[in-house]
Amino acid sequence: MLKATKNIEELSPEQAQEIVTAQRAFFKSGQTLPYRFRRQQLKVLKKAIEAHEEAILEALFLDFRKPHFEGYATEIGVVLAELDYISKNLESWMKPRVVSASLLNFPSSDRIYYDPYGVSLIVAPWNFPFQLMMNPLIGAIAAGNCAVIKASELAPHTSALVAEIIGECFDPAFVRLVQGGISTSQALLEQRWSHIFFTGSVRVGIIVATAAARYLTPVILELGGKSPCVVDETADIKLAARRIVWGKYINAGQTCVAPDYILAHRDIKDELVENMVQVIQDFYGENPQQSPDFPRIIDGKHFERVSSFLGDGEIACGGKTDAEDLYIAPTILDKVRWEDRVMQEEIFGPVLPVLTFDTLDEVIHEITERPKPLSMYYFSRRSQRQDRFLEETTAGGMCINDVVTHYANPKLPFGGVGTSGQGAYHGKHSFLAFSHQKSVSKKGNWLDVPLRYPPYKGKLEWVKRAFKFGG
Ligand code: NAD
C-alpha cells in the first residue's frame, strides 16, 4: 500500500521556474501539435488508468473512505468516458473550421484555427482528486498543450498515485505533476503561464485570478458556492427526496454541485423532510457510520467547519459526529432561516438545511439577490413554472426534476458564472477551454475591391449598402 505523502517538500519559485522553462522548450519544439502525438498520449494515459484501476480506488478509499462504487462511478468511469469521447472526436475538432466570408472582406477564405495556448497550469482540489486532475489534463493534451498539475495536499494517497501514473506516462517536460501545499501553489502561481485552469474555492479563485492578471494570463476558474434546490408543491415528492438525498450525500456532501440547501414549498415541506429522512435510512441504514457506502470528511479543519453548522435550525435527522473518525452523519436541518450561519457560506459536507417558501416570486427574488450559483435544481410538475424559473434565474448549470446529472453529459459545457466561476469544460468544451480560437482571413491576389481605400468621395453610400446586406 502507498504511504501518505505527508513529508512532501514544497517547491521553491526557482524550481517552479525551471519546470516552466523546460515545458516551454518542449512546447516550442512543436511535438505537441500533430494529431497523432495528442491521440497517442491520450491512449497511453487510458492504458495506465486501466492498469491502475484497483490502486486508484484504494487511494481514494484511504484519502476519505470513498466507497469503490463512488470511486469508479464519479472518478475513474467519468475520466475514461471523457478520454474516449475526446479521442473519438479530436481529429475533427482540430480541423480549422470554415466560415463564410462577409461582403466587406469578400473575396476571402475565412477559417477558425485552434491553437494550443502553450504551457498550462492545472491546480486541483481534493474532493474528486482523481477526476479533477485528469479531466482538465485530457483537455490540455487534446488541445496540444504542455501541462503542470498541482495536486491537492489534502488527498495525499491519490496525489502520490497520480504522480506515479503521470511519471510513467509522460516526459516531465510535457506533463508533470507537482505535489505540495499552499506554498508550492504560490511558487507556481508566481510564474508566467500560457494558461491557468483552477478548480477550488471562491477565496483561492480570487488569489489565482489576481496572480494570472499580473501577466494577463487567460484563466478558467471552476469554483463553488451555495447551490439551491427548490421543490414546489406540485413535485413528485418521493422521487425528489430520493434524488436529492443521493446528490447531497454522495461523497459525504463534499461535491461542488451538491444541493447546498432546500427551498421547499410550505405545503409539502414536512412531507419532503419525512421522505428524505426515510431515504437516508434506506441508503445508509440505522447507523450510517457503519455503512460502507458513506465517506468521511477530508480533514480535521473541514470537520470542525461543517460540525459548526449543526447548531442551526432543528435537527430532523443525523447530527451525530465523531472527530476521531472524521465522521459527520447525513444530517437534515429543518426550520432554517436565511440569516442562520449555515446559510452564509458553502456547506461542502453532509448537512442539508431546509427553508420554506410560499410563492415562486419569493424564490426567484431570494435566489437572484445572492451570488450566481454553480448549480441549481428545481423540482416541479408544471412546465410553465419550470420555464419561468429557467428564464428568470441563472446559474452555471441546472437540472429540472433532478440534481447533479447535468455534470455527466460531455456535450454540456460545465462551469460556473459570476462568483461560481468563469469558462467551462468537458467534451469539446475542454478542447476549446485549452485552445485559442485564431481567426484567419486568407486572401487571393487576383481581385482588390477599391471601396475601402481613400479617397472616400462617393463611397459612403456603397459602404452603407454593404453593411446592410450582411457586412
Ligand atoms: P481550495 O481552494 O482550498 O484549494 C484548491 C487548490 O488551491 C489546492 O490545490 C490548494 O493547495 C490550492 N490553494 C489553497 N490555498 C491557496 C492559496 N492561498 N494560494 C494558492 N493556492 C492555494 O479548495 P478545496 O478545499 O481543495 O476544494 C473545495 C472547493 O472547491 C469548494 O469550494 C468546491 O465548491 C470547489 N470545487 C469546485 C468544483 C467545480 O468544478 N466548480 C469542483 C470541485 C470543487
Side-chain angles (χ1 to χ4, degrees):
M1 189 47 54
L2 277 162
K3 274 188 248 124
T5 51
K6 289 253 153 59
N7 299 322
I8 291 290
E9 226 176 273
E10 299 287 340
L11 206 69
S12 69
E14 293 70 30
Q15 289 168 316
Q17 194 178 24
E18 274 169 31
I19 291 173
V20 186
T21 305
Q23 290 218 342
R24 216 174 271 144
F26 191 96
F27 180 72
K28 230 175 153 187
S29 75
Q31 291 176 70
T32 66
L33 298 181
Y35 164 71
R36 283 182 57 176
F37 175 87
R38 304 183 196 185
R39 180 83 177 81
Q40 181 57 24
Q41 306 311 310
L42 295 176
K43 247 189 205 162
V44 166
L45 184 59
K46 182 176 177 192
K47 234 175 131 184
I49 293 171
E50 285 171 343
H52 288 87
E53 183 183 311
E54 279 308 311
I56 298 166
L57 292 174
E58 200 45 34
L60 292 165
F61 182 83
L62 288 173
D63 277 331
F64 55 114
R65 285 244 338 237
K66 187 182 278 235
H68 285 195
F69 177 89
E70 287 186 17
Y72 194 89
T74 67
E75 306 244 21
I76 298 176
V78 173
V79 169
L80 291 176
E82 180 83 345
L83 264 167
D84 285 343
Y85 184 72
I86 289 188
S87 301
K88 201 170 117 213
N89 293 289
L90 181 58
E91 195 169 18
S92 75
W93 294 342
M94 280 176 66
K95 289 199 175 108
R97 191 158 70 82
V98 178
V99 297
S100 56
S102 72
L103 209 57
L104 283 163
N105 76 344
F106 181 84
S108 162
S109 151
D110 290 355
R111 287 188 168 78
I112 302 168
Y113 284 74
Y114 301 95
D115 288 353
Y117 279 114
V119 178
S120 268
L121 172 65
I122 296 168
V123 182
W126 54 265
N127 65 322
F128 288 87
F130 182 72
Q131 192 215 132
L132 295 176
M133 288 194 271
M134 285 297 169
N135 274 1
L137 175 65
I138 294 165
I141 294 174
N145 297 270
C146 295
V148 173
I149 305 170
K150 152 68 180 79
S152 172
E153 66 280 22
L154 297 188
H157 294 91
T158 311
S159 297
L161 178 61
V162 176
E164 218 175 284
I165 295 173
I166 297 287
E168 275 171 26
C169 292
F170 305 118
D171 180 336
F174 169 49
V175 175
R176 181 178 186 132
L177 187 143
V178 176
Q179 297 182 74
I182 293 174
S183 81
T184 291
S185 195
Q186 286 164 339
L188 289 165
L189 286 169
E190 271 184 35
Q191 311 308 314
R192 181 194 281 271
W193 300 90
S194 322
H195 182 255
I196 300 177
F197 187 105
F198 172 78
T199 310
S201 62
V202 176
R203 182 183 65 81
V204 181
I206 293 169
I207 294 172
V208 172
T210 307
R214 197 168 141 222
Y215 295 115
L216 293 179
T217 303
V219 62
I220 293 208
L221 300 173
E222 298 286 343
L223 310 178
K226 290 183 93 61
S227 295
C229 177
V230 181
V231 185
D232 80 12
E233 72 281 19
T234 72
D236 180 333
I237 300 300
K238 273 196 184 328
L239 186 66
R242 200 159 52 239
R243 291 181 175 173
I244 292 168
V245 166
W246 168 77
K248 177 70 187 185
Y249 299 104
I250 199 167
N251 221 37
Q254 302 165 113
T255 306
C256 58
V257 287
D260 184 273
Y261 62 94
I262 304 280
L263 274 173
H265 190 277
R266 191 174 304 280
D267 292 351
I268 50 87
K269 192 267 292 171
D270 287 343
E271 189 190 345
L272 179 69
V273 170
E274 279 160 27
N275 272 277
M276 291 195 298
V277 171
Q278 183 58 50
V279 175
I280 289 175
Q281 210 181 93
D282 295 345
F283 284 4
Y284 303 111
E286 284 291 337
N287 180 4
Q289 194 167 6
Q290 304 294 327
S291 165
D293 298 331
F294 191 68
R296 295 298 182 257
I297 303 302
I298 190 71
D299 71 354
K301 201 173 117 212
H302 283 277
F303 174 85
E304 291 301 328
R305 191 184 57 76
V306 179
S307 301
S308 75
F309 297 134
L310 294 173
D312 284 346
E314 283 177 16
I315 291 179
C317 77
K320 189 181 160 209
T321 63
D322 180 345
E324 282 280 289
D325 191 22
L326 293 175
Y327 168 77
I328 299 179
T331 299
I332 295 176
L333 298 178
D334 197 358
K335 301 190 180 151
V336 170
R337 296 158 309 153
W338 287 108
E339 54 276 24
D340 287 338
R341 222 177 59 73
V342 70
M343 293 306 294
Q344 309 311 314
E345 62 178 90
E346 181 182 9
I347 297 166
F348 218 60
V351 175
L352 181 60
V354 180
L355 292 87
T356 311
F357 72 90
D358 292 298
T359 65
L360 189 55
D361 284 343
E362 188 188 331
V363 169
I364 290 172
H365 171 74
E366 293 294 354
I367 286 174
T368 52
E369 278 290 290
R370 293 176 162 73
K372 292 172 185 162
L374 178 62
S375 302
M376 195 145 57
Y377 308 116
Y378 184 38
F379 287 82
S380 173
R381 281 199 174 96
R382 297 274 188 279
S383 62
Q384 268 182 339
R385 290 195 202 171
Q386 296 169 3
D387 292 346
R388 188 176 164 214
F389 190 73
L390 291 176
E391 271 167 30
E392 294 185 30
T393 65
T394 193
M398 293 195 194
C399 296
I400 299 289
N401 292 322
D402 209 341
V403 299
V404 178
T405 51
H406 63 301
Y407 187 87
N409 181 355
K411 293 184 186 109
L412 290 173
F414 178 77
V417 56
T419 56
S420 58
Q422 60 187 51
Y425 74 131
H426 287 183
K428 185 170 185 185
H429 308 281
S430 284
F431 172 75
L432 293 176
F434 285 91
S435 300
H436 164 62
Q437 299 188 50
K438 181 172 72 187
S439 299
V440 177
S441 191
K442 192 170 168 187
K443 299 281 200 168
N445 297 330
W446 54 280
L447 179 66
D448 192 28
V449 182
L451 181 64
R452 63 175 149 159
Y453 300 124
Y456 299 129
K457 192 159 180 270
K459 292 180 177 171
L460 185 58
E461 281 312 309
W462 286 102
V463 93
K464 279 186 182 174
R465 257 178 240 171
F467 275 111
K468 203 166 160 190
F469 290 110

